[in-house]
Amino acid sequence: MKFSEEQQRRLGEIGASAEDVQADFPDEAQRNRAYQRLETRLTAAQQRRLAELRHGERRPFVLGLEERLAAALRGAGFLQVHTPIILSRVRLEKMGVFDGSIMEKQVFWLDAKHCLRPMLAPHLYEYMRDLGRVPERPLRLFEIGPCFRRETQGQRHASEFTMLNLVEMGLPEGTDLTARLRELGALVLDAAGIEGWRMADEDSTVYGETLDFVDADGMELASSALGPHPLDAAWGIRENWVGIGFGLERLTMAATHETSMAKVGRSLSYLDGIRLRL
Ligand code: ATP
Ligand code: MG
């Protein structure tokens, strides 16, 4: 006999391994005793982790990651930009996201003309155009910040998450753009401490066919795009470019081997994967 659903949920929250959660017992009495032992041991382990966090790193992994990635990208010549979290409907539509489209159903609208940004790309397009007036090439930009999507939540999705979007525009003619995407992906994924990642073909509702970066378990870490692209005209962009959007919580899951988004993202129930209500 297995742990009850309630027991399984609680054990999952306090960091039991999948193997422990799925354990089998000859009868209910033995199962409940095993549950008590496991619960006590795991709760103590969570308390130790919390103490370590308070006296060691003093912040969750995802925040340290954000700082490390920003430093790595600035070191590689990328300019960090900081744009509004509120996005206009006009700009969202310039990304091809209209009434009734798949992405539009995921948008949190604030009023008829404004939403919480579901992606960083529209504001980066603005910067590409405006900073693109300076002749120096390539132009390298990135932003890290909150994005919002209505999702049927789950292990890999949250309605608020943190995106890192980088773009490099105006590469020398003849540059192998796919190879450049791989280099830039490697720059970020290596700085994040992720091993065993690879690139894979995907279909994107916004960009059409894209190349994704996935972790060893096949979880999508990032999607990339390259230009010239049909969306460019609306933004007045006429040069080649490569861009990648990473989810910082997904990178955290891949780097720390945490299996649930709820534990690594913004939360009132967990801090750095540690259950708070012990
Ligand atoms: P998925 O197919 O996994 O739902 P997506 O392809 O819709 O993701 P993109 O638009 O490619 O997502 O966004 C870039 C990255 O942002 C993703 O690769 C992922 O790492 C992250 N991301 C997207 N949506 C979410 C979400 N709801 N919660 C956490 N991270 C997300
Ligand atoms: Mg994607």
Side-chain angles (χ1 to χ4, degrees), residues 35-120:
Y35 173 77
Q36 282 309 334
R37 277 198 305 274
L38 196 53
E39 213 255 1
T40 305
R41 176 165 65 77
L42 291 170
T43 303
Q46 294 277 300
Q47 270 153 354
R48 275 197 305 280
R49 273 185 68 190
L50 186 57
E52 271 166 34
L53 185 69
R54 292 177 73 175
H55 297 103
E57 278 301 307
R58 297 209 178 95
R59 65 175 172 184
F61 184 93
V62 68
L63 293 181
L65 177 66
E66 175 172 343
E67 206 169 275
R68 276 190 283 129
L69 297 183
L73 285 170
R74 289 196 307 270
F78 284 78
L79 172 70
Q80 185 165 11
V81 303
H82 196 46
T83 78
I85 290 172
I86 296 176
L87 171 66
S88 71
R89 178 185 282 274
V90 177
R91 291 196 177 91
L92 188 64
E93 288 182 350
K94 282 169 107 179
M95 294 304 298
V97 180
F98 295 101
D99 261 357
S101 62
I102 298 176
M103 175 63 93
E104 201 274 339
K105 292 191 183 64
Q106 292 189 283
V107 174
F108 285 103
W109 289 102
L110 296 174
D111 59 33
K113 293 194 167 143
H114 302 92
C115 64
L116 294 173
R117 60 185 181 187
M119 58 178 91
L120 303 179

Coordinates of all heavy atoms in Angstrom, one line a residue, residues 35-120:
Y35 N 5.7 7.0 7.5 CA 5.4 8.4 7.2 C 5.9 9.3 8.3 O 6.6 10.3 8.0 CB 3.9 8.6 6.9 CG 3.5 10.0 6.8 CD1 3.8 10.7 5.6 CD2 3.0 10.8 7.9 CE1 3.5 12.1 5.5 CE2 2.7 12.1 7.7 CZ 3.0 12.8 6.5 OH 2.7 14.1 6.4
Q36 N 5.6 8.9 9.5 CA 6.0 9.7 10.7 C 7.5 9.9 10.7 O 8.0 11.0 10.9 CB 5.5 9.1 12.0 CG 4.1 9.3 12.3 CD 3.7 10.8 12.2 OE1 4.5 11.7 12.4 NE2 2.4 11.1 11.9
R37 N 8.2 8.8 10.5 CA 9.7 8.8 10.5 C 10.2 9.7 9.4 O 11.1 10.6 9.7 CB 10.3 7.4 10.4 CG 10.3 6.6 11.6 CD 11.3 5.4 11.5 NE 11.0 4.6 10.3 CZ 10.1 3.5 10.3 NH1 9.5 3.2 11.4 NH2 9.9 2.8 9.2
L38 N 9.7 9.5 8.2 CA 10.2 10.3 7.1 C 9.9 11.8 7.3 O 10.7 12.6 7.0 CB 9.5 9.7 5.8 CG 10.1 10.1 4.5 CD1 11.5 9.8 4.4 CD2 9.3 9.3 3.4
E39 N 8.7 12.0 7.8 CA 8.3 13.4 7.9 C 9.2 14.1 8.9 O 9.6 15.3 8.7 CB 6.8 13.5 8.4 CG 6.0 14.6 7.9 CD 5.8 15.7 8.9 OE1 6.2 15.5 10.1 OE2 5.1 16.7 8.6
T40 N 9.5 13.5 10.0 CA 10.3 14.0 11.1 C 11.7 14.3 10.5 O 12.3 15.4 10.7 CB 10.4 13.1 12.3 OG1 9.1 12.8 12.7 CG2 11.2 13.7 13.4
R41 N 12.3 13.3 9.8 CA 13.6 13.5 9.2 C 13.7 14.6 8.2 O 14.6 15.5 8.2 CB 14.0 12.1 8.6 CG 15.4 12.2 7.9 CD 15.9 10.8 7.6 NE 15.2 10.0 6.6 CZ 15.2 10.2 5.3 NH1 15.9 11.2 4.8 NH2 14.5 9.5 4.5
L42 N 12.7 14.7 7.3 CA 12.7 15.7 6.3 C 12.5 17.1 6.8 O 13.1 18.1 6.4 CB 11.7 15.4 5.2 CG 12.0 14.1 4.3 CD1 10.8 13.8 3.5 CD2 13.2 14.4 3.4
T43 N 11.6 17.2 7.8 CA 11.3 18.5 8.4 C 12.6 19.0 9.1 O 13.0 20.2 8.9 CB 10.2 18.4 9.5 OG1 9.1 17.9 8.8 CG2 9.9 19.7 10.1
A44 N 13.3 18.1 9.8 CA 14.6 18.6 10.4 C 15.6 19.0 9.3 O 16.3 20.0 9.5 CB 15.2 17.4 11.2
A45 N 15.6 18.3 8.2 CA 16.5 18.7 7.1 C 16.2 20.0 6.5 O 17.0 20.8 6.2 CB 16.5 17.6 6.0
Q46 N 14.9 20.3 6.4 CA 14.4 21.6 5.9 C 14.9 22.7 6.9 O 15.3 23.8 6.5 CB 12.9 21.7 5.7 CG 12.4 20.7 4.7 CD 12.5 21.3 3.3 OE1 11.9 22.4 3.0 NE2 13.2 20.7 2.4
Q47 N 14.7 22.4 8.2 CA 15.1 23.4 9.2 C 16.7 23.7 9.1 O 17.1 24.8 9.2 CB 14.7 23.0 10.6 CG 13.3 23.5 10.9 CD 12.6 22.7 11.9 OE1 13.0 21.6 12.3 NE2 11.4 23.1 12.3
R48 N 17.4 22.6 8.9 CA 18.9 22.8 8.7 C 19.2 23.6 7.5 O 20.0 24.5 7.5 CB 19.6 21.5 8.6 CG 19.9 20.8 9.9 CD 21.0 19.7 9.8 NE 20.6 18.7 8.8 CZ 19.7 17.7 9.1 NH1 19.2 17.5 10.3 NH2 19.4 16.8 8.1
R49 N 18.5 23.4 6.4 CA 18.7 24.1 5.1 C 18.4 25.6 5.3 O 19.1 26.5 4.9 CB 17.8 23.6 4.0 CG 18.5 22.4 3.2 CD 17.6 22.0 2.1 NE 17.6 23.0 1.0 CZ 16.7 23.0 -0.1 NH1 15.9 22.0 -0.2 NH2 16.7 23.9 -1.0
L50 N 17.3 25.9 6.1 CA 16.9 27.2 6.3 C 18.0 27.9 7.1 O 18.4 29.1 6.9 CB 15.6 27.3 7.0 CG 14.9 28.7 7.2 CD1 14.8 29.4 5.9 CD2 13.6 28.5 7.9
A51 N 18.5 27.3 8.2 CA 19.6 27.8 9.0 C 20.8 28.1 8.1 O 21.4 29.2 8.2 CB 19.9 26.9 10.1
E52 N 21.1 27.2 7.2 CA 22.3 27.4 6.4 C 22.1 28.6 5.5 O 23.0 29.4 5.2 CB 22.5 26.1 5.5 CG 23.4 25.0 6.1 CD 23.2 23.7 5.3 OE1 23.0 23.8 4.0 OE2 23.3 22.7 5.9
L53 N 20.9 28.7 4.9 CA 20.6 29.8 4.1 C 20.8 31.2 4.8 O 21.3 32.1 4.3 CB 19.2 29.7 3.5 CG 18.8 30.8 2.5 CD1 19.5 30.6 1.2 CD2 17.3 30.7 2.2
R54 N 20.2 31.2 6.1 CA 20.3 32.4 6.8 C 21.7 32.8 7.2 O 22.0 34.0 7.4 CB 19.4 32.3 8.1 CG 18.0 32.2 7.8 CD 17.2 32.0 9.1 NE 17.1 33.2 9.9 CZ 16.4 33.3 11.0 NH1 15.6 32.2 11.4 NH2 16.3 34.4 11.7
H55 N 22.6 31.8 7.4 CA 23.9 32.2 7.8 C 24.9 32.1 6.6 O 26.1 32.4 6.8 CB 24.3 31.3 8.9 CG 23.4 31.5 10.1 ND1 22.4 30.6 10.5 CD2 23.4 32.5 11.0 CE1 21.8 31.1 11.6 NE2 22.4 32.3 11.9
G56 N 24.5 31.6 5.5 CA 25.4 31.4 4.3 C 25.0 32.4 3.2 O 25.2 33.6 3.4
E57 N 24.4 31.9 2.2 CA 24.1 32.7 1.0 C 23.2 33.9 1.3 O 23.3 35.0 0.7 CB 23.4 31.8 -0.1 CG 24.4 31.0 -1.0 CD 25.3 31.9 -1.7 OE1 24.9 32.9 -2.4 OE2 26.5 31.7 -1.6
R58 N 22.2 33.7 2.2 CA 21.3 34.7 2.6 C 20.4 35.2 1.5 O 19.8 36.3 1.6 CB 22.0 35.9 3.2 CG 22.7 35.6 4.5 CD 22.8 36.8 5.5 NE 23.4 36.4 6.7 CZ 24.7 36.6 7.0 NH1 25.5 37.2 6.1 NH2 25.2 36.2 8.1
R59 N 20.3 34.4 0.4 CA 19.3 34.7 -0.6 C 19.1 33.5 -1.5 O 20.0 32.7 -1.6 CB 19.7 35.9 -1.5 CG 20.9 35.7 -2.3 CD 21.2 36.8 -3.2 NE 22.5 36.6 -3.8 CZ 23.1 37.5 -4.6 NH1 22.5 38.6 -4.9 NH2 24.3 37.2 -5.2
P60 N 17.9 33.4 -2.1 CA 17.7 32.2 -3.0 C 18.6 32.2 -4.2 O 19.0 33.2 -4.7 CB 16.2 32.4 -3.4 CG 15.8 33.8 -3.1 CD 16.7 34.3 -2.1
F61 N 18.8 31.0 -4.7 CA 19.7 30.8 -5.8 C 19.3 31.7 -7.0 O 20.2 32.2 -7.7 CB 19.5 29.3 -6.3 CG 20.4 28.9 -7.4 CD1 21.7 28.3 -7.1 CD2 20.0 29.0 -8.7 CE1 22.5 28.0 -8.1 CE2 20.9 28.7 -9.7 CZ 22.1 28.1 -9.5
V62 N 18.0 31.8 -7.3 CA 17.6 32.5 -8.5 C 18.1 34.0 -8.5 O 18.4 34.5 -9.5 CB 16.0 32.4 -8.7 CG1 15.3 33.2 -7.6 CG2 15.6 32.9 -10.1
L63 N 18.2 34.6 -7.3 CA 18.7 36.0 -7.3 C 20.2 36.1 -7.5 O 20.6 37.0 -8.2 CB 18.3 36.6 -5.9 CG 16.8 36.9 -5.7 CD1 16.6 37.5 -4.3 CD2 16.2 37.7 -6.8
G64 N 20.9 35.1 -7.0 CA 22.3 35.1 -7.2 C 22.6 34.8 -8.7 O 23.5 35.4 -9.3
L65 N 21.8 33.9 -9.3 CA 21.9 33.6 -10.7 C 21.7 34.8 -11.6 O 22.5 35.1 -12.5 CB 20.8 32.5 -11.0 CG 20.8 32.1 -12.5 CD1 22.1 31.4 -12.9 CD2 19.6 31.2 -12.8
E66 N 20.7 35.6 -11.2 CA 20.4 36.8 -12.0 C 21.6 37.7 -12.1 O 22.0 38.2 -13.1 CB 19.2 37.5 -11.4 CG 18.9 38.9 -12.1 CD 17.6 39.5 -11.6 OE1 16.7 38.8 -11.0 OE2 17.5 40.7 -11.9
E67 N 22.3 37.9 -10.9 CA 23.4 38.8 -10.8 C 24.6 38.2 -11.6 O 25.3 38.9 -12.3 CB 23.8 38.9 -9.3 CG 24.5 40.2 -9.0 CD 24.6 40.3 -7.5 OE1 23.6 40.8 -6.9 OE2 25.6 39.9 -6.9
R68 N 24.8 36.9 -11.5 CA 25.9 36.3 -12.2 C 25.7 36.3 -13.7 O 26.7 36.6 -14.5 CB 26.1 34.8 -11.8 CG 26.9 34.6 -10.5 CD 27.2 33.1 -10.3 NE 26.0 32.4 -9.8 CZ 25.5 31.3 -10.3 NH1 26.1 30.7 -11.4 NH2 24.4 30.7 -9.8
L69 N 24.5 36.1 -14.2 CA 24.3 36.1 -15.6 C 24.4 37.6 -16.2 O 25.0 37.8 -17.2 CB 22.9 35.6 -16.0 CG 22.7 34.1 -15.6 CD1 21.3 33.6 -16.0 CD2 23.8 33.2 -16.2
A70 N 23.9 38.5 -15.4 CA 24.0 39.9 -15.9 C 25.5 40.3 -16.0 O 25.9 40.9 -16.9 CB 23.3 40.8 -14.9
A71 N 26.3 39.9 -15.0 CA 27.8 40.2 -15.0 C 28.4 39.5 -16.2 O 29.3 40.1 -16.9 CB 28.4 39.8 -13.7
A72 N 28.1 38.3 -16.5 CA 28.7 37.5 -17.6 C 28.3 38.2 -18.9 O 29.2 38.3 -19.8 CB 28.2 36.1 -17.6
L73 N 27.1 38.6 -19.1 CA 26.7 39.3 -20.3 C 27.3 40.6 -20.5 O 27.8 41.0 -21.6 CB 25.2 39.3 -20.4 CG 24.5 38.0 -20.7 CD1 23.0 38.1 -20.6 CD2 24.9 37.5 -22.1
R74 N 27.4 41.4 -19.4 CA 28.1 42.7 -19.5 C 29.5 42.5 -19.9 O 30.1 43.2 -20.7 CB 27.9 43.5 -18.2 CG 26.5 44.0 -18.0 CD 26.4 45.1 -17.0 NE 27.1 44.7 -15.7 CZ 26.5 44.1 -14.7 NH1 25.2 43.9 -14.8 NH2 27.1 43.8 -13.6
G75 N 30.1 41.5 -19.3 CA 31.5 41.1 -19.6 C 31.7 40.8 -21.0 O 32.8 41.0 -21.6
A76 N 30.7 40.3 -21.7 CA 30.8 39.9 -23.1 C 30.3 41.0 -24.0 O 30.1 40.8 -25.2 CB 29.9 38.6 -23.3
G77 N 30.2 42.2 -23.5 CA 29.9 43.4 -24.3 C 28.4 43.7 -24.4 O 28.1 44.6 -25.2
F78 N 27.6 43.1 -23.7 CA 26.1 43.4 -23.7 C 25.8 44.5 -22.8 O 26.2 44.5 -21.6 CB 25.3 42.1 -23.4 CG 25.2 41.1 -24.5 CD1 26.3 40.2 -24.7 CD2 24.1 41.0 -25.3 CE1 26.3 39.3 -25.7 CE2 24.1 40.0 -26.3 CZ 25.2 39.2 -26.5
L79 N 24.9 45.4 -23.3 CA 24.4 46.5 -22.5 C 23.1 46.1 -21.8 O 22.2 45.6 -22.5 CB 24.1 47.7 -23.4 CG 23.4 48.9 -22.8 CD1 24.4 49.7 -21.8 CD2 23.0 49.9 -23.9
Q80 N 23.0 46.3 -20.5 CA 21.8 45.9 -19.8 C 20.8 47.0 -19.8 O 21.2 48.2 -19.5 CB 22.2 45.5 -18.3 CG 21.0 45.0 -17.5 CD 21.4 44.3 -16.2 OE1 22.5 44.4 -15.8 NE2 20.4 43.6 -15.6
V81 N 19.6 46.7 -20.2 CA 18.5 47.7 -20.2 C 17.5 47.4 -19.2 O 17.4 46.2 -18.7 CB 18.0 47.9 -21.6 CG1 19.1 48.3 -22.6 CG2 17.2 46.7 -22.1
H82 N 16.6 48.4 -18.9 CA 15.7 48.2 -17.8 C 14.4 48.9 -18.3 O 14.3 50.1 -18.4 CB 16.3 49.0 -16.6 CG 15.6 48.7 -15.3 ND1 15.4 47.5 -14.9 CD2 15.3 49.6 -14.3 CE1 14.9 47.5 -13.7 NE2 14.8 48.8 -13.3
T83 N 13.4 48.1 -18.7 CA 12.2 48.7 -19.4 C 11.0 48.4 -18.6 O 11.0 47.6 -17.7 CB 12.1 48.1 -20.8 OG1 11.5 46.8 -20.8 CG2 13.4 48.1 -21.6
P84 N 9.9 49.1 -18.9 CA 8.6 48.9 -18.1 C 8.0 47.5 -18.1 O 8.1 46.8 -19.1 CB 7.6 49.9 -18.8 CG 8.5 50.9 -19.5 CD 9.7 50.1 -20.0
I85 N 7.4 47.2 -17.0 CA 6.8 45.9 -16.9 C 5.4 46.0 -17.5 O 4.8 45.0 -18.0 CB 6.7 45.5 -15.4 CG1 8.1 45.2 -14.9 CG2 5.7 44.4 -15.1 CD1 8.2 44.9 -13.4
I86 N 4.9 47.2 -17.6 CA 3.6 47.4 -18.3 C 3.8 47.6 -19.8 O 4.7 48.4 -20.2 CB 2.9 48.6 -17.7 CG1 2.5 48.3 -16.2 CG2 1.6 49.0 -18.5 CD1 1.9 49.5 -15.5
L87 N 3.1 46.9 -20.6 CA 3.3 46.9 -22.0 C 2.0 47.3 -22.7 O 0.9 47.0 -22.3 CB 3.6 45.4 -22.5 CG 3.7 45.1 -23.9 CD1 4.8 45.8 -24.6 CD2 3.8 43.6 -24.1
S88 N 2.1 48.1 -23.8 CA 0.9 48.6 -24.5 C 0.4 47.5 -25.4 O 1.2 46.7 -26.0 CB 1.3 49.9 -25.2 OG 2.1 49.6 -26.3
R89 N -0.9 47.6 -25.6 CA -1.5 46.7 -26.6 C -0.9 46.9 -28.0 O -0.7 45.9 -28.7 CB -3.0 47.0 -26.7 CG -3.8 46.0 -27.7 CD -5.2 46.4 -27.8 NE -6.0 45.9 -26.7 CZ -6.6 44.7 -26.7 NH1 -6.4 43.9 -27.7 NH2 -7.3 44.4 -25.7
V90 N -0.6 48.1 -28.3 CA -0.1 48.4 -29.7 C 1.2 47.6 -29.9 O 1.4 47.0 -30.9 CB 0.2 49.9 -29.8 CG1 0.8 50.2 -31.2 CG2 -1.1 50.7 -29.7
R91 N 2.1 47.6 -28.9 CA 3.4 46.9 -29.0 C 3.2 45.4 -29.0 O 3.9 44.7 -29.7 CB 4.4 47.4 -27.9 CG 4.8 48.8 -28.1 CD 6.0 49.1 -27.2 NE 6.5 50.5 -27.5 CZ 6.0 51.6 -26.8 NH1 5.2 51.4 -25.8 NH2 6.5 52.8 -27.2
L92 N 2.3 45.0 -28.2 CA 2.0 43.5 -28.2 C 1.5 43.1 -29.6 O 2.0 42.0 -30.1 CB 1.0 43.2 -27.1 CG 0.8 41.7 -26.9 CD1 2.0 41.0 -26.3 CD2 -0.4 41.4 -25.9
E93 N 0.7 43.9 -30.2 CA 0.2 43.5 -31.5 C 1.3 43.5 -32.5 O 1.2 42.8 -33.5 CB -1.0 44.4 -31.9 CG -2.2 44.1 -31.1 CD -3.5 44.9 -31.4 OE1 -3.3 45.9 -32.2 OE2 -4.6 44.6 -30.9
K94 N 2.3 44.4 -32.3 CA 3.4 44.4 -33.3 C 4.2 43.1 -33.2 O 5.0 42.8 -34.0 CB 4.3 45.6 -33.0 CG 3.8 46.9 -33.6 CD 4.6 48.1 -33.0 CE 5.5 48.7 -34.0 NZ 6.2 49.9 -33.5
M95 N 4.0 42.3 -32.1 CA 4.6 41.0 -32.0 C 3.8 39.9 -32.6 O 4.0 38.7 -32.5 CB 4.9 40.7 -30.5 CG 5.9 41.5 -29.8 SD 7.5 41.6 -30.6 CE 8.0 39.8 -30.5
G96 N 2.7 40.4 -33.3 CA 1.8 39.4 -33.9 C 0.8 38.8 -32.9 O 0.2 37.7 -33.2
V97 N 0.7 39.4 -31.7 CA -0.2 38.8 -30.7 C -1.5 39.6 -30.7 O -1.6 40.7 -30.2 CB 0.4 38.9 -29.3 CG1 -0.6 38.3 -28.3 CG2 1.7 38.1 -29.3
F98 N -2.6 39.1 -31.4 CA -3.8 39.7 -31.6 C -4.9 39.0 -30.8 O -4.8 37.9 -30.4 CB -4.2 39.8 -33.1 CG -3.3 40.6 -33.9 CD1 -2.3 39.9 -34.7 CD2 -3.4 41.9 -33.9 CE1 -1.5 40.7 -35.5 CE2 -2.5 42.7 -34.7 CZ -1.5 42.0 -35.5
D99 N -6.1 39.7 -30.7 CA -7.3 39.1 -30.1 C -7.5 37.7 -30.7 O -7.5 37.5 -31.9 CB -8.5 39.9 -30.6 CG -9.0 40.9 -29.5 OD1 -8.3 40.8 -28.4 OD2 -9.9 41.6 -29.7
G100 N -7.7 36.7 -29.8 CA -8.0 35.4 -30.3 C -6.8 34.5 -30.5 O -6.9 33.3 -30.6
S101 N -5.6 35.1 -30.6 CA -4.4 34.2 -30.8 C -4.1 33.5 -29.5 O -4.5 33.9 -28.4 CB -3.2 35.1 -31.3 OG -2.8 36.0 -30.3
I102 N -3.3 32.4 -29.7 CA -3.0 31.6 -28.5 C -2.4 32.4 -27.4 O -2.8 32.4 -26.2 CB -2.1 30.4 -28.9 CG1 -2.7 29.5 -29.9 CG2 -1.7 29.6 -27.7 CD1 -1.8 28.4 -30.5
M103 N -1.4 33.2 -27.8 CA -0.6 34.0 -26.7 C -1.6 35.0 -26.1 O -1.5 35.3 -24.9 CB 0.6 34.6 -27.4 CG 1.4 35.6 -26.6 SD 2.2 34.9 -25.1 CE 3.8 34.4 -25.7
E104 N -2.5 35.6 -26.9 CA -3.3 36.6 -26.3 C -4.2 36.1 -25.2 O -4.4 36.8 -24.2 CB -4.3 37.2 -27.4 CG -4.8 38.6 -27.2 CD -6.1 38.6 -26.3 OE1 -6.8 37.5 -26.3 OE2 -6.4 39.6 -25.7
K105 N -4.6 34.9 -25.2 CA -5.4 34.3 -24.1 C -4.5 34.1 -22.9 O -5.1 34.0 -21.8 CB -5.8 32.9 -24.5 CG -6.9 32.9 -25.7 CD -7.5 31.5 -25.8 CE -8.5 31.4 -27.0 NZ -7.8 31.7 -28.3
Q106 N -3.2 34.3 -23.0 CA -2.4 34.1 -21.8 C -2.0 35.5 -21.2 O -1.3 35.5 -20.2 CB -1.1 33.5 -22.2 CG -1.2 32.0 -22.6 CD 0.2 31.4 -22.8 OE1 0.8 31.6 -23.8 NE2 0.6 30.7 -21.8
V107 N -2.5 36.6 -21.8 CA -2.1 37.9 -21.3 C -3.0 38.4 -20.2 O -4.2 38.3 -20.2 CB -2.2 38.9 -22.5 CG1 -1.9 40.3 -22.1 CG2 -1.2 38.5 -23.6
F108 N -2.3 39.0 -19.2 CA -3.0 39.6 -18.1 C -3.2 41.1 -18.5 O -2.3 41.9 -18.5 CB -2.2 39.6 -16.8 CG -2.1 38.3 -16.1 CD1 -1.0 37.5 -16.2 CD2 -3.2 37.8 -15.3 CE1 -0.9 36.3 -15.6 CE2 -3.1 36.6 -14.7 CZ -2.0 35.8 -14.8
W109 N -4.5 41.4 -18.8 CA -4.8 42.8 -19.2 C -5.0 43.7 -18.0 O -5.7 43.3 -17.0 CB -6.0 42.8 -20.1 CG -5.7 42.2 -21.5 CD1 -6.0 41.0 -21.9 CD2 -4.9 42.9 -22.5 NE1 -5.5 40.8 -23.2 CE2 -4.8 42.0 -23.5 CE3 -4.3 44.1 -22.6 CZ2 -4.1 42.2 -24.7 CZ3 -3.7 44.4 -23.8 CH2 -3.6 43.5 -24.8
L110 N -4.5 44.9 -18.0 CA -4.7 45.9 -16.9 C -5.9 46.7 -17.2 O -6.7 47.1 -16.4 CB -3.5 46.7 -16.7 CG -2.2 46.0 -16.3 CD1 -1.0 46.9 -16.2 CD2 -2.4 45.3 -14.9
D111 N -6.0 47.1 -18.5 CA -7.1 47.9 -19.0 C -7.2 47.6 -20.5 O -6.4 46.8 -21.0 CB -7.1 49.4 -18.7 CG -5.8 50.1 -19.2 OD1 -5.3 49.7 -20.3 OD2 -5.3 51.0 -18.5
A112 N -8.0 48.4 -21.2 CA -8.2 48.1 -22.7 C -6.8 48.2 -23.5 O -6.7 47.5 -24.5 CB -9.2 49.0 -23.3
K113 N -5.9 49.0 -23.0 CA -4.7 49.3 -23.8 C -3.4 48.9 -23.2 O -2.4 49.1 -23.7 CB -4.7 50.8 -24.0 CG -5.8 51.3 -24.9 CD -5.5 52.6 -25.5 CE -6.5 52.9 -26.6 NZ -6.9 54.3 -26.6
H114 N -3.5 48.3 -22.0 CA -2.2 47.9 -21.3 C -2.3 46.5 -20.7 O -3.3 46.1 -20.2 CB -1.9 48.9 -20.2 CG -1.7 50.3 -20.7 ND1 -2.8 51.2 -20.7 CD2 -0.7 51.0 -21.2 CE1 -2.4 52.3 -21.2 NE2 -1.1 52.2 -21.5
C115 N -1.2 45.9 -20.7 CA -1.1 44.5 -20.0 C 0.2 44.4 -19.3 O 1.1 45.3 -19.4 CB -1.2 43.4 -21.1 SG 0.2 43.4 -22.3
L116 N 0.3 43.3 -18.5 CA 1.6 43.0 -17.9 C 2.4 42.2 -18.9 O 1.8 41.3 -19.6 CB 1.4 42.1 -16.6 CG 0.7 42.7 -15.5 CD1 0.3 41.7 -14.4 CD2 1.5 43.8 -14.9
R117 N 3.6 42.6 -19.2 CA 4.3 42.0 -20.3 C 4.4 40.5 -20.2 O 4.9 40.0 -19.2 CB 5.7 42.6 -20.5 CG 6.6 42.4 -19.3 CD 7.9 43.2 -19.4 NE 8.7 42.9 -18.3 CZ 9.9 43.6 -18.0 NH1 10.3 44.5 -18.9 NH2 10.6 43.3 -17.0
P118 N 4.1 39.7 -21.3 CA 4.3 38.3 -21.3 C 5.7 37.9 -21.8 O 6.1 36.8 -21.7 CB 3.2 37.8 -22.2 CG 3.0 38.9 -23.2 CD 3.3 40.2 -22.4
M119 N 6.4 38.9 -22.3 CA 7.7 38.7 -22.9 C 8.5 40.0 -22.9 O 7.9 41.1 -22.7 CB 7.6 38.2 -24.3 CG 6.8 39.2 -25.2 SD 6.6 38.7 -26.9 CE 5.1 37.8 -26.8
L120 N 9.8 40.0 -23.1 CA 10.6 41.2 -23.1 C 10.8 41.7 -24.5 O 11.3 42.9 -24.7 CB 12.0 40.9 -22.4 CG 11.9 40.3 -21.0 CD1 13.4 40.1 -20.5 CD2 11.2 41.3 -20.1

